[in-house]
Amino acid sequence: ETGVTQSPTHLIKTRGQQVTLRCSSQSGHNTVSWYQQALGQGPQFIFQYYREEENGRGNFPPRFSGLQFPNYSSELNVNALELDDSALYLCASRWDSSYEQYFGPGTRLTVT
Amino acid sequence: EDQVTQSPEALRLQEGESSSLNCSYTVSGLRGLFWYRQDPGKGPEFLFTLYSAGEEKEKERLKATLTKKESFLHITAPKPEDSATYLCAVHAQAGTALIFGKGTTLSVSS
């Protein structure tokens, strides 16, 4: 069984740029969620995708967007990066009939 | 508003010194309460799911319990390798997301 993988591991961007983060779901999982975790905080929900459609969103602006592909892999796109976007971005996957989410190792984004 | 509060924020133990971490929650209908372990700079590692009051789960030196208002993660005779941040999260009936607490950072010294 393959776990959740994310790429890249680390990323440094400049304020105003755009970034794309990638996630491969755990084998057999059809639902993927993205979370943002600032230092010393718990993860904050960004959005969830099921069957290639967004079906839940947290309190994040529209410049945070995503995609889910037929193979259940996913992307998180962030436009017009701000300094406060610096955080660990986590992808989590699950089977739609279960509430147990399994997380990837995360992508550390630094915005300068 | 759905909310999760964890205490203490940090806990220092000697190897073998048992203790408990607390997770208090307010949620409109609980679908599940989850415990995760997170090592620095890494993603959360799933530990337990609890669904109803009175339920208990165990794994090695860890035992999780659930009441209608809170959950406890009991650590028996901890070892230095148990040092990590422990996160509690709830899935509310009306939502699609996990709502996390800020975590308890546990340090176990030998």
Side-chain angles (χ1 to χ4, degrees), chain B residues 30-50:
Chain B
L30 180 70
R31 281 183 169 169
L33 184 140
F34 307 86
W35 282 98
Y36 289 86
R37 169 191 170 129
Q38 186 173 30
D39 292 307
K42 298 191 176 181
E45 174 190 348
F46 174 80
L47 292 174
F48 303 110
T49 306
L50 301 167

Side-chain angles (χ1 to χ4, degrees), chain B residues 6-9 11 21-23 34-39 44-45 47-48 61-62 73-75 78-89 100-108:
Chain B
Q6 292 188 245
S7 62
E9 290 186 9
L11 181 63
L21 282 55
N22 177 264
C23 171
F34 307 86
W35 282 98
Y36 289 86
R37 169 191 170 129
Q38 186 173 30
D39 292 307
E45 174 190 348
L47 292 174
F48 303 110
R61 294 177 293 282
L62 300 176
L73 185 65
H74 306 278
I75 303 177
K79 298 182 177 182
E81 53 261 43
D82 294 323
S83 297
T85 295
Y86 290 86
L87 294 167
C88 172
F100 282 85
K102 293 184 178 181
T104 294
T105 299
L106 173 67
S107 299
V108 182

Side-chain angles (χ1 to χ4, degrees), chain A residues 35 37 45 48 99-101, chain B residues 31 36 38 43 49 96-98:
Chain A
Y35 292 79
Q37 186 176 25
F45 174 68
Q48 176 177 279
Y99 299 113
E100 293 179 2
Q101 297 192 24
Chain B
R31 281 183 169 169
Y36 289 86
Q38 186 173 30
T49 306
T96 55
L98 290 179

Side-chain angles (χ1 to χ4, degrees), chain A residues 59-84:
Chain A
N59 189 27
F60 281 82
R63 60 189 185 84
F64 285 79
S65 63
L67 285 172
Q68 185 185 30
F69 300 100
N71 65 354
Y72 304 130
S73 65
S74 175
E75 287 183 356
L76 164 65
N77 299 289
V78 187
N79 293 322
L81 284 167
E82 301 177 359
L83 296 179
D84 285 348

